Amino acid sequence: MSRGGPAAAVRDPRLFEEFYRRHVDAVMRFVARRVDDPHTAADLTAEIFLAVLDSARSYRPHLGSETAWLYGIARNVVSSERRRVAREAERDLRFRGRRLLEADDIARIEDRLDAESPGRRALAALARLPEGERAVMELVAVDQLTVTEAAAALGIRQVTARVRLHRARKALREDAESRTAQAAPPAARTGFPGARTPDASLVYVTRGEA
């Protein structure tokens, strides 16, 4: 951890560079689980670190790690981008910053996007959950934060986070079982070979393996 945390890093270019290098891979993974375009991923990653400049004083070490705090910022940045795209769907927002990316940069980000495709499928499986439960489940099951860190990233109490996580996992398990029962051929329902397995994405997150 840098001396003084994010607040010190934004006052000292050398410390900020150390902070950036320490966390850029984790932030890029977070973004790559939510978008599938390398240019957008690069833009959002840069915006997240720009947002750190405005939010540095909000970091509280006793509430969680720097990574958990960054994920809270990242969620806001990604959500803002989604809202903007939805409002301005008729405009082409994908050319911003493309000239800044070299071919090697695009290839590297595309590799990261490919690596995080299971995470994107898992996030898609969470879309049916209420927003509060989905947010906790995303951070714990997909982004691998602890419940304490997820609560800090979302600005909620730990007990609230635990309740939402329990409800989310229960709902997903029931959904997976229901889908399996509905999709299975008659032989599967009578115990014969040929039964279908549950939706892999739902199992992925309910077991905490994302």
Side-chain angles (χ1 to χ4, degrees):
M1 184 179 295
S2 61
R3 289 171 293 176
V10 299
R11 295 194 300 267
D12 185 324
R14 182 179 59 82
L15 291 179
F16 189 79
E17 182 177 357
E18 293 176 0
F19 179 88
Y20 175 85
R21 292 182 183 278
R22 185 164 62 253
H23 295 295
V24 65
D25 284 344
V27 170
M28 178 61 78
R29 288 194 298 270
F30 181 97
V31 173
R33 286 189 283 268
R34 289 159 173 82
V35 303
D36 58 7
D37 176 74
H39 304 285
T40 303
D43 288 343
L44 292 176
T45 299
E47 289 179 21
I48 288 164
F49 281 98
L50 287 175
V52 168
L53 299 176
D54 295 326
S55 306
R57 293 187 179 279
S58 70
Y59 174 59
R60 298 292 183 269
H62 65 281
L63 294 179
S65 66
E66 288 180 345
T67 300
W69 175 75
L70 272 170
Y71 280 4
I73 294 174
R75 278 183 55 83
N76 291 334
V77 171
V78 172
S79 295
S80 294
E81 174 67 5
R82 286 172 174 168
R83 288 193 296 269
R84 183 170 63 136
V85 170
R87 287 194 306 266
E88 303 176 6
E90 74 282 1
R91 297 177 55 186
D92 184 0
L93 301 177
R94 293 296 185 258
F95 290 105
R96 181 167 51 89
R98 289 188 177 219
R99 288 178 297 177
L100 301 178
L101 291 179
E102 301 293 339
D104 288 346
D105 295 326
I106 295 176
R108 176 177 56 82
I109 296 175
E110 285 178 337
D111 287 343
R112 176 59 54 77
L113 292 171
D114 288 341
E116 298 300 335
S117 59
R120 289 197 299 278
R121 290 194 297 271
L123 288 173
L126 302 181
R128 294 180 288 274
L129 293 174
E131 169 59 26
E133 294 172 12
R134 182 172 70 248
V136 176
M137 193 69 174
E138 282 185 9
L139 292 173
V140 174
V142 180
D143 297 309
Q144 297 293 293
L145 294 188
T146 65
V147 176
T148 299
E149 290 175 330
L154 296 171
I156 61 178
R157 296 185 302 160
Q158 290 184 38
V159 66
T160 302
R162 292 185 186 281
V163 169
R164 291 181 181 177
L165 182 63
H166 173 75
R167 289 176 177 169
R169 283 183 168 150
K170 180 180 178 182
L172 289 173
R173 282 195 298 269
E174 292 174 350
D175 193 8
E177 292 168 358
S178 174
R179 287 170 177 270
T180 300
Q182 293 174 8
R189 290 192 287 269
T190 57
F192 290 99
R196 295 192 181 184
T197 56
D199 185 312
S201 298
L202 293 177
V203 173
Y204 194 55
V205 292
T206 56
R207 291 181 178 175
E209 296 170 353

